[in-house]
PDB file of all heavy atoms in Angstrom:
ATOM      1  N   GLY A   1      -7.747  20.723 -15.294  1.00 93.00           N
ATOM      2  CA  GLY A   1      -7.166  20.106 -14.117  1.00 93.00           C
ATOM      3  C   GLY A   1      -5.679  20.377 -14.022  1.00 93.00           C
ATOM      4  O   GLY A   1      -5.051  20.994 -14.886  1.00 93.00           O
ATOM      5  N   ARG A   2      -5.089  19.884 -12.931  1.00 96.00           N
ATOM      6  CA  ARG A   2      -3.671  20.072 -12.640  1.00 96.00           C
ATOM      7  C   ARG A   2      -3.039  18.724 -12.286  1.00 96.00           C
ATOM      8  O   ARG A   2      -3.713  17.798 -11.810  1.00 96.00           O
ATOM      9  CB  ARG A   2      -3.478  21.017 -11.432  1.00 96.00           C
ATOM     10  CG  ARG A   2      -4.196  22.351 -11.548  1.00 96.00           C
ATOM     11  CD  ARG A   2      -3.554  23.247 -12.582  1.00 96.00           C
ATOM     12  NE  ARG A   2      -2.154  23.500 -12.312  1.00 96.00           N
ATOM     13  CZ  ARG A   2      -1.707  24.439 -11.458  1.00 96.00           C
ATOM     14  NH1 ARG A   2      -2.580  25.189 -10.790  1.00 96.00           N
ATOM     15  NH2 ARG A   2      -0.418  24.635 -11.277  1.00 96.00           N
ATOM     16  N   LEU A   3      -1.731  18.629 -12.496  1.00 98.00           N
ATOM     17  CA  LEU A   3      -0.975  17.436 -12.133  1.00 98.00           C
ATOM     18  C   LEU A   3       0.054  17.781 -11.073  1.00 98.00           C
ATOM     19  O   LEU A   3       0.702  18.829 -11.134  1.00 98.00           O
ATOM     20  CB  LEU A   3      -0.280  16.837 -13.357  1.00 98.00           C
ATOM     21  CG  LEU A   3      -1.172  16.267 -14.452  1.00 98.00           C
ATOM     22  CD1 LEU A   3      -0.322  15.758 -15.612  1.00 98.00           C
ATOM     23  CD2 LEU A   3      -2.062  15.149 -13.916  1.00 98.00           C
ATOM     24  N   GLN A   4       0.203  16.883 -10.114  1.00 98.00           N
ATOM     25  CA  GLN A   4       1.154  17.081  -9.016  1.00 98.00           C
ATOM     26  C   GLN A   4       1.834  15.748  -8.697  1.00 98.00           C
ATOM     27  O   GLN A   4       1.343  14.975  -7.877  1.00 98.00           O
ATOM     28  CB  GLN A   4       0.444  17.625  -7.774  1.00 98.00           C
ATOM     29  CG  GLN A   4       1.370  17.963  -6.612  1.00 98.00           C
ATOM     30  CD  GLN A   4       0.613  18.360  -5.356  1.00 98.00           C
ATOM     31  OE1 GLN A   4      -0.429  17.774  -5.032  1.00 98.00           O
ATOM     32  NE2 GLN A   4       1.111  19.365  -4.665  1.00 98.00           N
ATOM     33  N   PRO A   5       2.967  15.461  -9.326  1.00 98.00           N
ATOM     34  CA  PRO A   5       3.712  14.255  -8.943  1.00 98.00           C
ATOM     35  C   PRO A   5       4.346  14.432  -7.568  1.00 98.00           C
ATOM     36  O   PRO A   5       4.676  15.555  -7.160  1.00 98.00           O
ATOM     37  CB  PRO A   5       4.772  14.139 -10.041  1.00 98.00           C
ATOM     38  CG  PRO A   5       4.937  15.520 -10.565  1.00 98.00           C
ATOM     39  CD  PRO A   5       3.607  16.195 -10.430  1.00 98.00           C
ATOM     40  N   PHE A   6       4.521  13.323  -6.858  1.00 98.00           N
ATOM     41  CA  PHE A   6       5.101  13.379  -5.512  1.00 98.00           C
ATOM     42  C   PHE A   6       5.860  12.100  -5.215  1.00 98.00           C
ATOM     43  O   PHE A   6       5.688  11.067  -5.879  1.00 98.00           O
ATOM     44  CB  PHE A   6       4.003  13.593  -4.462  1.00 98.00           C
ATOM     45  CG  PHE A   6       2.975  12.495  -4.408  1.00 98.00           C
ATOM     46  CD1 PHE A   6       3.207  11.325  -3.692  1.00 98.00           C
ATOM     47  CD2 PHE A   6       1.774  12.614  -5.084  1.00 98.00           C
ATOM     48  CE1 PHE A   6       2.274  10.307  -3.650  1.00 98.00           C
ATOM     49  CE2 PHE A   6       0.822  11.605  -5.065  1.00 98.00           C
ATOM     50  CZ  PHE A   6       1.086  10.443  -4.335  1.00 98.00           C
ATOM     51  N   GLY A   7       6.687  12.181  -4.207  1.00 98.00           N
ATOM     52  CA  GLY A   7       7.412  11.016  -3.726  1.00 98.00           C
ATOM     53  C   GLY A   7       7.645  11.124  -2.234  1.00 98.00           C
ATOM     54  O   GLY A   7       7.674  12.233  -1.675  1.00 98.00           O
ATOM     55  N   ALA A   8       7.780   9.989  -1.572  1.00 98.00           N
ATOM     56  CA  ALA A   8       8.027   9.963  -0.135  1.00 98.00           C
ATOM     57  C   ALA A   8       9.060   8.886   0.183  1.00 98.00           C
ATOM     58  O   ALA A   8       9.092   7.827  -0.468  1.00 98.00           O
ATOM     59  CB  ALA A   8       6.740   9.692   0.647  1.00 98.00           C
ATOM     60  N   LEU A   9       9.883   9.157   1.165  1.00 98.00           N
ATOM     61  CA  LEU A   9      10.943   8.244   1.582  1.00 98.00           C
ATOM     62  C   LEU A   9      10.888   8.073   3.090  1.00 98.00           C
ATOM     63  O   LEU A   9      10.735   9.054   3.826  1.00 98.00           O
ATOM     64  CB  LEU A   9      12.307   8.803   1.165  1.00 98.00           C
ATOM     65  CG  LEU A   9      13.527   7.884   1.298  1.00 98.00           C
ATOM     66  CD1 LEU A   9      13.406   6.694   0.343  1.00 98.00           C
ATOM     67  CD2 LEU A   9      14.804   8.664   1.004  1.00 98.00           C
ATOM     68  N   THR A  10      10.982   6.828   3.548  1.00 98.00           N
ATOM     69  CA  THR A  10      10.894   6.526   4.981  1.00 98.00           C
ATOM     70  C   THR A  10      12.074   5.670   5.418  1.00 98.00           C
ATOM     71  O   THR A  10      12.427   4.697   4.738  1.00 98.00           O
ATOM     72  CB  THR A  10       9.597   5.760   5.304  1.00 98.00           C
ATOM     73  OG1 THR A  10       8.473   6.508   4.856  1.00 98.00           O
ATOM     74  CG2 THR A  10       9.473   5.506   6.798  1.00 98.00           C
ATOM     75  N   HIS A  11      12.657   6.041   6.553  1.00 98.00           N
ATOM     76  CA  HIS A  11      13.696   5.210   7.176  1.00 98.00           C
ATOM     77  C   HIS A  11      13.243   4.869   8.589  1.00 98.00           C
ATOM     78  O   HIS A  11      12.939   5.752   9.390  1.00 98.00           O
ATOM     79  CB  HIS A  11      15.041   5.937   7.225  1.00 98.00           C
ATOM     80  CG  HIS A  11      16.131   5.107   7.831  1.00 98.00           C
ATOM     81  ND1 HIS A  11      16.556   5.267   9.139  1.00 98.00           N
ATOM     82  CD2 HIS A  11      16.888   4.096   7.316  1.00 98.00           C
ATOM     83  CE1 HIS A  11      17.525   4.405   9.397  1.00 98.00           C
ATOM     84  NE2 HIS A  11      17.735   3.686   8.307  1.00 98.00           N
ATOM     85  N   LYS A  12      13.183   3.566   8.890  1.00 98.00           N
ATOM     86  CA  LYS A  12      12.763   3.094  10.209  1.00 98.00           C
ATOM     87  C   LYS A  12      13.917   2.351  10.875  1.00 98.00           C
ATOM     88  O   LYS A  12      14.555   1.497  10.239  1.00 98.00           O
ATOM     89  CB  LYS A  12      11.563   2.148  10.093  1.00 98.00           C
ATOM     90  CG  LYS A  12      10.324   2.767   9.504  1.00 98.00           C
ATOM     91  CD  LYS A  12       9.236   1.715   9.311  1.00 98.00           C
ATOM     92  CE  LYS A  12       7.996   2.286   8.657  1.00 98.00           C
ATOM     93  NZ  LYS A  12       6.993   1.231   8.351  1.00 98.00           N
ATOM     94  N   ASN A  13      14.144   2.656  12.117  1.00 98.00           N
ATOM     95  CA  ASN A  13      15.181   1.984  12.889  1.00 98.00           C
ATOM     96  C   ASN A  13      14.574   1.554  14.221  1.00 98.00           C
ATOM     97  O   ASN A  13      14.707   2.228  15.243  1.00 98.00           O
ATOM     98  CB  ASN A  13      16.379   2.913  13.117  1.00 98.00           C
ATOM     99  CG  ASN A  13      17.519   2.221  13.841  1.00 98.00           C
ATOM    100  OD1 ASN A  13      17.655   1.006  13.797  1.00 98.00           O
ATOM    101  ND2 ASN A  13      18.339   3.000  14.533  1.00 98.00           N
ATOM    102  N   PHE A  14      13.867   0.409  14.182  1.00 98.00           N
ATOM    103  CA  PHE A  14      13.180  -0.082  15.374  1.00 98.00           C
ATOM    104  C   PHE A  14      14.106  -0.963  16.210  1.00 98.00           C
ATOM    105  O   PHE A  14      14.847  -1.798  15.671  1.00 98.00           O
ATOM    106  CB  PHE A  14      11.940  -0.897  14.987  1.00 98.00           C
ATOM    107  CG  PHE A  14      10.836  -0.070  14.387  1.00 98.00           C
ATOM    108  CD1 PHE A  14      10.145  -0.515  13.268  1.00 98.00           C
ATOM    109  CD2 PHE A  14      10.470   1.146  14.945  1.00 98.00           C
ATOM    110  CE1 PHE A  14       9.124   0.226  12.711  1.00 98.00           C
ATOM    111  CE2 PHE A  14       9.452   1.901  14.408  1.00 98.00           C
ATOM    112  CZ  PHE A  14       8.772   1.447  13.280  1.00 98.00           C
ATOM    113  N   GLU A  15      14.012  -0.804  17.511  1.00 98.00           N
ATOM    114  CA  GLU A  15      14.815  -1.595  18.444  1.00 98.00           C
ATOM    115  C   GLU A  15      14.513  -3.087  18.316  1.00 98.00           C
ATOM    116  O   GLU A  15      15.378  -3.932  18.547  1.00 98.00           O
ATOM    117  CB  GLU A  15      14.531  -1.112  19.868  1.00 98.00           C
ATOM    118  CG  GLU A  15      15.357  -1.744  20.954  1.00 98.00           C
ATOM    119  CD  GLU A  15      15.010  -1.171  22.319  1.00 98.00           C
ATOM    120  OE1 GLU A  15      14.089  -1.699  22.961  1.00 98.00           O
ATOM    121  OE2 GLU A  15      15.667  -0.193  22.732  1.00 98.00           O
ATOM    122  N   PHE A  16      13.310  -3.419  17.902  1.00 98.00           N
ATOM    123  CA  PHE A  16      12.872  -4.808  17.816  1.00 98.00           C
ATOM    124  C   PHE A  16      13.677  -5.606  16.791  1.00 98.00           C
ATOM    125  O   PHE A  16      13.886  -6.813  16.953  1.00 98.00           O
ATOM    126  CB  PHE A  16      11.382  -4.841  17.457  1.00 98.00           C
ATOM    127  CG  PHE A  16      10.770  -6.214  17.421  1.00 98.00           C
ATOM    128  CD1 PHE A  16      10.360  -6.842  18.592  1.00 98.00           C
ATOM    129  CD2 PHE A  16      10.591  -6.869  16.211  1.00 98.00           C
ATOM    130  CE1 PHE A  16       9.784  -8.105  18.557  1.00 98.00           C
ATOM    131  CE2 PHE A  16      10.025  -8.133  16.164  1.00 98.00           C
ATOM    132  CZ  PHE A  16       9.622  -8.747  17.340  1.00 98.00           C
ATOM    133  N   PHE A  17      14.118  -4.925  15.713  1.00 98.00           N
ATOM    134  CA  PHE A  17      14.819  -5.608  14.631  1.00 98.00           C
ATOM    135  C   PHE A  17      16.329  -5.370  14.705  1.00 98.00           C
ATOM    136  O   PHE A  17      16.791  -4.405  15.316  1.00 98.00           O
ATOM    137  CB  PHE A  17      14.289  -5.138  13.271  1.00 98.00           C
ATOM    138  CG  PHE A  17      12.860  -5.515  13.027  1.00 98.00           C
ATOM    139  CD1 PHE A  17      11.850  -4.575  13.158  1.00 98.00           C
ATOM    140  CD2 PHE A  17      12.518  -6.814  12.690  1.00 98.00           C
ATOM    141  CE1 PHE A  17      10.527  -4.920  12.943  1.00 98.00           C
ATOM    142  CE2 PHE A  17      11.200  -7.172  12.463  1.00 98.00           C
ATOM    143  CZ  PHE A  17      10.195  -6.225  12.600  1.00 98.00           C
ATOM    144  N   GLU A  18      17.073  -6.237  14.033  1.00 97.00           N
ATOM    145  CA  GLU A  18      18.532  -6.155  14.064  1.00 97.00           C
ATOM    146  C   GLU A  18      19.079  -5.148  13.063  1.00 97.00           C
ATOM    147  O   GLU A  18      20.256  -4.791  13.129  1.00 97.00           O
ATOM    148  CB  GLU A  18      19.152  -7.535  13.794  1.00 97.00           C
ATOM    149  CG  GLU A  18      18.848  -8.563  14.878  1.00 97.00           C
ATOM    150  CD  GLU A  18      19.462  -9.912  14.580  1.00 97.00           C
ATOM    151  OE1 GLU A  18      20.158 -10.031  13.538  1.00 97.00           O
ATOM    152  OE2 GLU A  18      19.249 -10.855  15.369  1.00 97.00           O
ATOM    153  N   GLU A  19      18.259  -4.725  12.113  1.00 97.00           N
ATOM    154  CA  GLU A  19      18.714  -3.742  11.144  1.00 97.00           C
ATOM    155  C   GLU A  19      17.584  -2.797  10.778  1.00 97.00           C
ATOM    156  O   GLU A  19      16.406  -3.123  10.937  1.00 97.00           O
ATOM    157  CB  GLU A  19      19.268  -4.416   9.886  1.00 97.00           C
ATOM    158  CG  GLU A  19      18.255  -5.233   9.113  1.00 97.00           C
ATOM    159  CD  GLU A  19      18.874  -5.872   7.872  1.00 97.00           C
ATOM    160  OE1 GLU A  19      20.109  -6.001   7.834  1.00 97.00           O
ATOM    161  OE2 GLU A  19      18.117  -6.221   6.950  1.00 97.00           O
ATOM    162  N   SER A  20      17.961  -1.625  10.306  1.00 98.00           N
ATOM    163  CA  SER A  20      16.979  -0.627   9.900  1.00 98.00           C
ATOM    164  C   SER A  20      16.524  -0.900   8.466  1.00 98.00           C
ATOM    165  O   SER A  20      17.046  -1.788   7.795  1.00 98.00           O
ATOM    166  CB  SER A  20      17.572   0.773  10.020  1.00 98.00           C
ATOM    167  OG  SER A  20      18.723   0.891   9.190  1.00 98.00           O
ATOM    168  N   SER A  21      15.574  -0.108   7.985  1.00 98.00           N
ATOM    169  CA  SER A  21      15.042  -0.332   6.639  1.00 98.00           C
ATOM    170  C   SER A  21      14.616   0.979   6.001  1.00 98.00           C
ATOM    171  O   SER A  21      14.242   1.942   6.683  1.00 98.00           O
ATOM    172  CB  SER A  21      13.847  -1.291   6.688  1.00 98.00           C
ATOM    173  OG  SER A  21      12.782  -0.712   7.417  1.00 98.00           O
ATOM    174  N   TRP A  22      14.674   0.989   4.666  1.00 98.00           N
ATOM    175  CA  TRP A  22      14.173   2.102   3.866  1.00 98.00           C
ATOM    176  C   TRP A  22      12.967   1.626   3.061  1.00 98.00           C
ATOM    177  O   TRP A  22      12.872   0.457   2.698  1.00 98.00           O
ATOM    178  CB  TRP A  22      15.241   2.603   2.890  1.00 98.00           C
ATOM    179  CG  TRP A  22      16.395   3.318   3.529  1.00 98.00           C
ATOM    180  CD1 TRP A  22      17.566   2.759   3.968  1.00 98.00           C
ATOM    181  CD2 TRP A  22      16.492   4.716   3.797  1.00 98.00           C
ATOM    182  NE1 TRP A  22      18.389   3.725   4.488  1.00 98.00           N
ATOM    183  CE2 TRP A  22      17.764   4.935   4.395  1.00 98.00           C
ATOM    184  CE3 TRP A  22      15.649   5.804   3.591  1.00 98.00           C
ATOM    185  CZ2 TRP A  22      18.195   6.199   4.784  1.00 98.00           C
ATOM    186  CZ3 TRP A  22      16.071   7.066   3.980  1.00 98.00           C
ATOM    187  CH2 TRP A  22      17.323   7.259   4.572  1.00 98.00           C
ATOM    188  N   GLN A  23      12.070   2.548   2.764  1.00 98.00           N
ATOM    189  CA  GLN A  23      10.965   2.254   1.865  1.00 98.00           C
ATOM    190  C   GLN A  23      10.529   3.539   1.183  1.00 98.00           C
ATOM    191  O   GLN A  23      10.875   4.638   1.623  1.00 98.00           O
ATOM    192  CB  GLN A  23       9.798   1.616   2.604  1.00 98.00           C
ATOM    193  CG  GLN A  23       9.161   2.474   3.693  1.00 98.00           C
ATOM    194  CD  GLN A  23       8.208   1.664   4.540  1.00 98.00           C
ATOM    195  OE1 GLN A  23       8.594   1.100   5.565  1.00 98.00           O
ATOM    196  NE2 GLN A  23       6.942   1.614   4.121  1.00 98.00           N
ATOM    197  N   TYR A  24       9.734   3.393   0.098  1.00 98.00           N
ATOM    198  CA  TYR A  24       9.383   4.576  -0.670  1.00 98.00           C
ATOM    199  C   TYR A  24       7.961   4.489  -1.196  1.00 98.00           C
ATOM    200  O   TYR A  24       7.359   3.415  -1.270  1.00 98.00           O
ATOM    201  CB  TYR A  24      10.357   4.771  -1.838  1.00 98.00           C
ATOM    202  CG  TYR A  24      10.292   3.678  -2.881  1.00 98.00           C
ATOM    203  CD1 TYR A  24       9.415   3.769  -3.963  1.00 98.00           C
ATOM    204  CD2 TYR A  24      11.103   2.549  -2.791  1.00 98.00           C
ATOM    205  CE1 TYR A  24       9.342   2.769  -4.915  1.00 98.00           C
ATOM    206  CE2 TYR A  24      11.038   1.542  -3.750  1.00 98.00           C
ATOM    207  CZ  TYR A  24      10.154   1.653  -4.803  1.00 98.00           C
ATOM    208  OH  TYR A  24      10.082   0.659  -5.744  1.00 98.00           O
ATOM    209  N   ASP A  25       7.438   5.661  -1.565  1.00 98.00           N
ATOM    210  CA  ASP A  25       6.136   5.783  -2.219  1.00 98.00           C
ATOM    211  C   ASP A  25       6.289   6.785  -3.359  1.00 98.00           C
ATOM    212  O   ASP A  25       6.938   7.826  -3.199  1.00 98.00           O
ATOM    213  CB  ASP A  25       5.062   6.291  -1.250  1.00 98.00           C
ATOM    214  CG  ASP A  25       4.906   5.401  -0.032  1.00 98.00           C
ATOM    215  OD1 ASP A  25       4.284   4.340  -0.168  1.00 98.00           O
ATOM    216  OD2 ASP A  25       5.418   5.763   1.040  1.00 98.00           O
ATOM    217  N   LEU A  26       5.679   6.490  -4.496  1.00 98.00           N
ATOM    218  CA  LEU A  26       5.695   7.374  -5.653  1.00 98.00           C
ATOM    219  C   LEU A  26       4.285   7.496  -6.191  1.00 98.00           C
ATOM    220  O   LEU A  26       3.538   6.509  -6.231  1.00 98.00           O
ATOM    221  CB  LEU A  26       6.619   6.833  -6.748  1.00 98.00           C
ATOM    222  CG  LEU A  26       8.106   6.729  -6.422  1.00 98.00           C
ATOM    223  CD1 LEU A  26       8.844   5.991  -7.535  1.00 98.00           C
ATOM    224  CD2 LEU A  26       8.717   8.109  -6.194  1.00 98.00           C
ATOM    225  N   GLY A  27       3.913   8.701  -6.619  1.00 98.00           N
ATOM    226  CA  GLY A  27       2.561   8.846  -7.131  1.00 98.00           C
ATOM    227  C   GLY A  27       2.330  10.169  -7.815  1.00 98.00           C
ATOM    228  O   GLY A  27       3.240  10.985  -7.991  1.00 98.00           O
ATOM    229  N   ILE A  28       1.081  10.381  -8.200  1.00 98.00           N
ATOM    230  CA  ILE A  28       0.692  11.615  -8.869  1.00 98.00           C
ATOM    231  C   ILE A  28      -0.749  11.952  -8.511  1.00 98.00           C
ATOM    232  O   ILE A  28      -1.604  11.066  -8.410  1.00 98.00           O
ATOM    233  CB  ILE A  28       0.858  11.491 -10.398  1.00 98.00           C
ATOM    234  CG1 ILE A  28       0.639  12.846 -11.085  1.00 98.00           C
ATOM    235  CG2 ILE A  28      -0.055  10.416 -10.977  1.00 98.00           C
ATOM    236  CD1 ILE A  28       1.064  12.861 -12.531  1.00 98.00           C
ATOM    237  N   ASN A  29      -1.002  13.229  -8.260  1.00 98.00           N
ATOM    238  CA  ASN A  29      -2.345  13.741  -8.040  1.00 98.00           C
ATOM    239  C   ASN A  29      -2.860  14.386  -9.321  1.00 98.00           C
ATOM    240  O   ASN A  29      -2.150  15.184  -9.949  1.00 98.00           O
ATOM    241  CB  ASN A  29      -2.355  14.803  -6.930  1.00 98.00           C
ATOM    242  CG  ASN A  29      -2.078  14.231  -5.563  1.00 98.00           C
ATOM    243  OD1 ASN A  29      -2.614  13.194  -5.200  1.00 98.00           O
ATOM    244  ND2 ASN A  29      -1.238  14.899  -4.790  1.00 98.00           N
ATOM    245  N   TYR A  30      -4.058  14.012  -9.729  1.00 98.00           N
ATOM    246  CA  TYR A  30      -4.744  14.690 -10.819  1.00 98.00           C
ATOM    247  C   TYR A  30      -5.840  15.527 -10.165  1.00 98.00           C
ATOM    248  O   TYR A  30      -6.854  15.003  -9.702  1.00 98.00           O
ATOM    249  CB  TYR A  30      -5.325  13.672 -11.802  1.00 98.00           C
ATOM    250  CG  TYR A  30      -6.158  14.278 -12.902  1.00 98.00           C
ATOM    251  CD1 TYR A  30      -5.837  15.504 -13.465  1.00 98.00           C
ATOM    252  CD2 TYR A  30      -7.281  13.605 -13.383  1.00 98.00           C
ATOM    253  CE1 TYR A  30      -6.606  16.050 -14.472  1.00 98.00           C
ATOM    254  CE2 TYR A  30      -8.054  14.142 -14.400  1.00 98.00           C
ATOM    255  CZ  TYR A  30      -7.710  15.369 -14.936  1.00 98.00           C
ATOM    256  OH  TYR A  30      -8.476  15.917 -15.939  1.00 98.00           O
ATOM    257  N   LEU A  31      -5.622  16.830 -10.103  1.00 97.00           N
ATOM    258  CA  LEU A  31      -6.489  17.746  -9.373  1.00 97.00           C
ATOM    259  C   LEU A  31      -7.507  18.359 -10.332  1.00 97.00           C
ATOM    260  O   LEU A  31      -7.188  19.291 -11.081  1.00 97.00           O
ATOM    261  CB  LEU A  31      -5.652  18.833  -8.700  1.00 97.00           C
ATOM    262  CG  LEU A  31      -4.558  18.299  -7.750  1.00 97.00           C
ATOM    263  CD1 LEU A  31      -3.312  19.145  -7.826  1.00 97.00           C
ATOM    264  CD2 LEU A  31      -5.072  18.237  -6.322  1.00 97.00           C
ATOM    265  N   LEU A  32      -8.722  17.847 -10.330  1.00 94.00           N
ATOM    266  CA  LEU A  32      -9.757  18.400 -11.189  1.00 94.00           C
ATOM    267  C   LEU A  32     -10.208  19.764 -10.691  1.00 94.00           C
ATOM    268  O   LEU A  32     -10.498  20.660 -11.480  1.00 94.00           O
ATOM    269  CB  LEU A  32     -10.962  17.456 -11.254  1.00 94.00           C
ATOM    270  CG  LEU A  32     -10.787  16.173 -12.062  1.00 94.00           C
ATOM    271  CD1 LEU A  32     -10.120  15.097 -11.225  1.00 94.00           C
ATOM    272  CD2 LEU A  32     -12.142  15.683 -12.557  1.00 94.00           C
ATOM    273  N   ASN A  33     -10.285  19.903  -9.361  1.00 93.00           N
ATOM    274  CA  ASN A  33     -10.678  21.176  -8.750  1.00 93.00           C
ATOM    275  C   ASN A  33      -9.969  21.304  -7.411  1.00 93.00           C
ATOM    276  O   ASN A  33     -10.590  21.262  -6.352  1.00 93.00           O
ATOM    277  CB  ASN A  33     -12.189  21.243  -8.567  1.00 93.00           C
ATOM    278  CG  ASN A  33     -12.641  22.583  -8.010  1.00 93.00           C
ATOM    279  OD1 ASN A  33     -11.999  23.605  -8.228  1.00 93.00           O
ATOM    280  ND2 ASN A  33     -13.754  22.583  -7.286  1.00 93.00           N
ATOM    281  N   GLY A  34      -8.647  21.414  -7.460  1.00 94.00           N
ATOM    282  CA  GLY A  34      -7.861  21.463  -6.235  1.00 94.00           C
ATOM    283  C   GLY A  34      -8.097  20.218  -5.397  1.00 94.00           C
ATOM    284  O   GLY A  34      -8.227  19.108  -5.912  1.00 94.00           O
ATOM    285  N   HIS A  35      -8.173  20.408  -4.088  1.00 96.00           N
ATOM    286  CA  HIS A  35      -8.439  19.282  -3.197  1.00 96.00           C
ATOM    287  C   HIS A  35      -9.926  18.936  -3.128  1.00 96.00           C
ATOM    288  O   HIS A  35     -10.292  17.932  -2.516  1.00 96.00           O
ATOM    289  CB  HIS A  35      -7.933  19.596  -1.787  1.00 96.00           C
ATOM    290  CG  HIS A  35      -6.442  19.629  -1.670  1.00 96.00           C
ATOM    291  ND1 HIS A  35      -5.654  18.535  -1.935  1.00 96.00           N
ATOM    292  CD2 HIS A  35      -5.600  20.628  -1.322  1.00 96.00           C
ATOM    293  CE1 HIS A  35      -4.382  18.849  -1.744  1.00 96.00           C
ATOM    294  NE2 HIS A  35      -4.329  20.111  -1.381  1.00 96.00           N
ATOM    295  N   HIS A  36     -10.768  19.763  -3.741  1.00 95.00           N
ATOM    296  CA  HIS A  36     -12.202  19.464  -3.699  1.00 95.00           C
ATOM    297  C   HIS A  36     -12.544  18.251  -4.551  1.00 95.00           C
ATOM    298  O   HIS A  36     -13.504  17.535  -4.248  1.00 95.00           O
ATOM    299  CB  HIS A  36     -13.009  20.680  -4.157  1.00 95.00           C
ATOM    300  CG  HIS A  36     -13.018  21.798  -3.167  1.00 95.00           C
ATOM    301  ND1 HIS A  36     -13.745  21.764  -2.003  1.00 95.00           N
ATOM    302  CD2 HIS A  36     -12.354  22.980  -3.162  1.00 95.00           C
ATOM    303  CE1 HIS A  36     -13.550  22.877  -1.315  1.00 95.00           C
ATOM    304  NE2 HIS A  36     -12.710  23.635  -2.000  1.00 95.00           N
ATOM    305  N   ALA A  37     -11.781  18.031  -5.608  1.00 96.00           N
ATOM    306  CA  ALA A  37     -12.017  16.856  -6.454  1.00 96.00           C
ATOM    307  C   ALA A  37     -10.684  16.450  -7.066  1.00 96.00           C
ATOM    308  O   ALA A  37     -10.114  17.195  -7.875  1.00 96.00           O
ATOM    309  CB  ALA A  37     -13.031  17.170  -7.542  1.00 96.00           C
ATOM    310  N   LYS A  38     -10.176  15.296  -6.657  1.00 97.00           N
ATOM    311  CA  LYS A  38      -8.889  14.855  -7.190  1.00 97.00           C
ATOM    312  C   LYS A  38      -8.844  13.336  -7.266  1.00 97.00           C
ATOM    313  O   LYS A  38      -9.591  12.633  -6.581  1.00 97.00           O
ATOM    314  CB  LYS A  38      -7.727  15.375  -6.342  1.00 97.00           C
ATOM    315  CG  LYS A  38      -7.626  14.790  -4.939  1.00 97.00           C
ATOM    316  CD  LYS A  38      -6.430  15.379  -4.188  1.00 97.00           C
ATOM    317  CE  LYS A  38      -6.315  14.794  -2.789  1.00 97.00           C
ATOM    318  NZ  LYS A  38      -5.183  15.372  -2.036  1.00 97.00           N
ATOM    319  N   ILE A  39      -7.958  12.855  -8.140  1.00 98.00           N
ATOM    320  CA  ILE A  39      -7.706  11.430  -8.301  1.00 98.00           C
ATOM    321  C   ILE A  39      -6.217  11.212  -8.079  1.00 98.00           C
ATOM    322  O   ILE A  39      -5.386  11.948  -8.613  1.00 98.00           O
ATOM    323  CB  ILE A  39      -8.106  10.952  -9.707  1.00 98.00           C
ATOM    324  CG1 ILE A  39      -9.596  11.221  -9.955  1.00 98.00           C
ATOM    325  CG2 ILE A  39      -7.809   9.468  -9.882  1.00 98.00           C
ATOM    326  CD1 ILE A  39     -10.033  10.986 -11.383  1.00 98.00           C
TER     327      ILE A  39
END
C-alpha cells in the first residue's frame, strides 16, 4: 500500500456574520490499491 498525508485550509467571509473565520482539516490516505481500495 501507499500513504498520502493531506491538509486543507478554509477561510469564510460571510456577509451574515460580523467577522470571518478560518478552519482546517488534516488527514492521511492509506491506499491499498490506489483509489480502488483506500482507508
Side-chain angles (χ1 to χ4, degrees):
R2 307 289 303 277
L3 294 178
Q4 184 186 39
F6 61 83
L9 190 65
T10 304
H11 181 259
K12 298 175 183 174
N13 184 24
F14 291 136
E15 185 179 88
F16 184 81
F17 295 103
E18 295 180 2
E19 63 180 20
S20 60
S21 64
W22 290 90
Q23 62 191 91
Y24 65 89
D25 302 283
L26 296 172
I28 188 168
N29 291 316
Y30 175 36
L31 303 143
L32 287 84
N33 183 29
H35 290 299
H36 288 286
K38 68 180 180 181
I39 301 171

